[in-house]
Structures are given as structure tokens and as C-alpha cells.
Amino acid sequence: MSMIRFGKKQNNPVGMRRVVWKTPNVTADGLKIFACAVMLIQSAGIVIVENGLIDLSQYTQAELSKALASSADLMTLAGIGSMMQIIGGLGVPIFAFLLVEGFLHTSSYRKYLLTMLLFALLSEIPYDLAMYRKVWDFTGQNALFSMIICLLMLYFLRMARERKGFLSSMFQGLIVLTAVFWVSFFRMNCGLCLVLLTAVFYLFYSRNVLKTVLGVLISLLYVTGPLSFYGLWCYNEVRTDRFPKYAYYVFYPLHLLILAAVTIIFL
């Protein structure tokens, strides 16, 4: 990515230095590492702090408010847990962006989808253990299922875009609404924001201003989400992985399983 320079290029007085701003070059691998890091922070905030140290399941809403008001330590823990979840919101736009990039550049959509499905199934028990302390719970589904819905949505959006006109636009809107319905119905983690961001990143792929404005507005669902667009702006389209691509798939169930084990055994 080229440098962004501010200041005059000519008639530079002796001894005076031009102000040169250089934007970092962020690869797909860099985005993945950052997204996984903030996801780990968010998961630790939920599993270790809220489910473990505070144990929110023992309180009703009224009891929790009373306990927080009477205990400074509990209030501090609650604040730390909330901040960790807010940090985790930085990862959602990045995951949506990478999902679209993967869809557009994959050599095999079927393999991409089946790999996502396999790891979504493998992640469900670690997710339930981490979030609900149960081996199997239908209260909510892990975020990889949200990504599967997004991949299916992208497949049908691509089909719809092959046709032009008003009916094509209506069909695309219906596809997005259907995806929103399924992630909401099954209470999939990050579902609504992931679906909407994925749709925006794909449908307005070459319209950078509109894509950014809509993406920032949707990302406000996670408060810190808009800050991620700086990293996306610095993306240099280099997709060479520092780690094997499957390492990122393995990271999701593995980090949930470790956090669940720590909470169950030690807290």
C-alpha cells in the first residue's frame, strides 16, 4: 500500500522535515490473528469472569443488581467482564470481511462450506460447556453456525446477482432476510451482525464509501466494531498464511474447551 503524505513536496526548507504518514500493510493472516486474539479476550470475559468468578447463573436480575450495589469487588469484576466483551466486538467485522474474501477467492466452495460445517459441529459441545456448563444446550449455537448461514446466503446472492432488474434486487433482499431469520431463530452467536455485515461487504464490494458507511453503522451493535475498519482499510490483499489455515478453525473449539475446563475445574 502506498504511503499517504501530507505537506509540500517542493521548496522544503533546510532542516525542516516533511510529515510522512505511512499506513501499515495488513495481510489476511494479520487480520485473522487479531480477530482470534480479541475473540479470546471476549470468550475469557464471558467464561472466566462472568460464568466463573461471578457465576451469573446464581442470580436473578434483581439479585444481581443488589449484589453489585453492595460489593465493590463484584462491581469491579463485572466491569472487567464487560470491557473484555466490548473488546471482542472488534472481531465481528473482521470475521465478516474475511468470510466474503474467502468466498470470492476459494477454489472450492463446497469444501469451504463442509469444512466450516465440520468445525461448527465439533465446536458445539465446547461452546455449550463454556457458555452454559452443559454438554449439550439449545439456548444458543456457536458462531461457526452463523458463518455457515452467511456462506449459504452468499451462494444464493451470487445466483441472484446473475440476473438483473427489480426482481433480482427483491430476491437479494429476501435472501438476506431469510438468513437473518435463521440466525435469530436458532439464536446463533453474533448472527445478526455477521449476516448484515457479510451482505453489505458482498453486495457493495466495489463501492467502498457506501460499504464503509453501512458497515460502520451495523458494527455499532458491538460498540467497538467501527474501529475494526481501520484494519480493513489497511488490508493489502495478501492472503499468504503464516499459520496453516486449519489452525484458525481448530483455535475456535480449542480455546472454548480450555476456558471451559479452567472454569469447571478451578472456579
Side-chain angles (χ1 to χ4, degrees):
M1 182 172 290
S2 61
M3 290 188 295
I4 300 177
R5 303 175 185 270
F6 296 90
K8 297 180 178 180
K9 294 186 177 181
Q10 298 178 348
N11 301 324
N12 189 40
V14 177
M16 298 291 290
R17 299 177 60 188
R18 292 178 303 188
V19 177
V20 179
W21 298 92
K22 183 179 180 181
T23 58
N25 287 319
V26 180
T27 65
D29 200 56
L31 290 176
K32 291 176 185 178
I33 292 171
F34 177 79
C36 286
V38 295
M39 178 174 62
L40 175 61
I41 293 171
Q42 181 185 49
S43 297
I46 297 171
V47 182
I48 300 295
V49 179
E50 295 188 351
N51 294 350
L53 297 174
I54 299 176
D55 190 8
L56 291 177
S57 61
Q58 67 178 313
Y59 299 103
T60 64
Q61 188 60 47
E63 290 172 343
L64 179 61
S65 298
K66 186 179 296 185
L68 290 173
S70 61
S71 173
D73 291 340
L74 195 63
M75 180 69 80
T76 300
L77 282 175
I80 292 173
S82 296
M83 284 302 301
M84 293 173 78
Q85 289 196 60
I86 289 174
I87 291 172
L90 289 165
V92 180
I94 295 175
F95 283 121
F97 176 80
L98 290 172
L99 198 66
V100 173
E101 288 293 303
F103 173 76
L104 293 174
H105 296 99
T106 184
S107 58
S108 173
Y109 170 80
R110 179 175 295 183
K111 183 179 179 181
Y112 191 17
L113 181 64
L114 289 177
T115 300
M116 192 76 72
L117 177 59
L118 173 63
F119 280 94
L121 293 172
L122 292 175
S123 300
E124 191 58 22
I125 289 178
Y127 179 80
D128 289 341
L129 284 172
M131 299 299 166
Y132 311 114
R133 295 192 180 185
K134 297 178 182 179
V135 175
W136 197 261
D137 193 288
F138 289 100
T139 302
Q141 318 307 321
N142 71 75
L144 291 185
F145 282 112
S146 298
M147 293 187 179
I148 290 171
I149 296 296
C150 289
L151 280 177
L152 292 170
M153 176 185 69
L154 289 172
Y155 178 82
F156 289 109
L157 283 175
R158 180 167 61 185
M159 290 178 58
R161 296 186 78 183
E162 291 176 356
R163 299 184 178 183
K164 305 296 182 181
F166 179 71
L167 287 179
S168 175
S169 299
M170 284 190 61
F171 190 33
Q172 291 175 48
L174 181 61
I175 292 168
V176 175
L177 288 176
T178 302
V180 168
F181 169 79
W182 285 116
V183 296
S184 302
F185 182 79
F186 287 106
R187 297 183 293 275
M188 297 178 183
N189 189 28
C190 304
L192 177 61
C193 196
L194 268 177
V195 165
L196 295 178
L197 283 172
T198 300
V200 165
F201 288 152
Y202 179 72
L203 294 174
F204 305 107
Y205 188 78
S206 60
R207 301 174 65 180
N208 290 330
V209 174
L210 182 58
K211 178 175 63 177
T212 301
V213 171
L214 292 176
V216 166
L217 291 175
I218 295 168
S219 299
L220 286 172
L221 289 169
Y222 284 90
V223 183
T224 53
L227 298 177
S228 298
F229 280 79
Y230 176 71
L232 301 183
W233 181 61
C234 295
Y235 177 54
N236 61 8
E237 301 186 21
V238 174
R239 287 179 287 274
T240 302
D241 288 334
R242 185 180 307 173
F243 303 106
K245 63 178 181 180
Y246 289 107
Y248 298 104
Y249 288 103
V250 172
F251 174 80
Y252 185 65
L254 183 62
H255 94 282
L256 290 172
L257 193 59
I258 292 173
L259 291 175
V262 170
T263 304
I264 294 170
I265 296 172
F266 298 105
L267 303 177

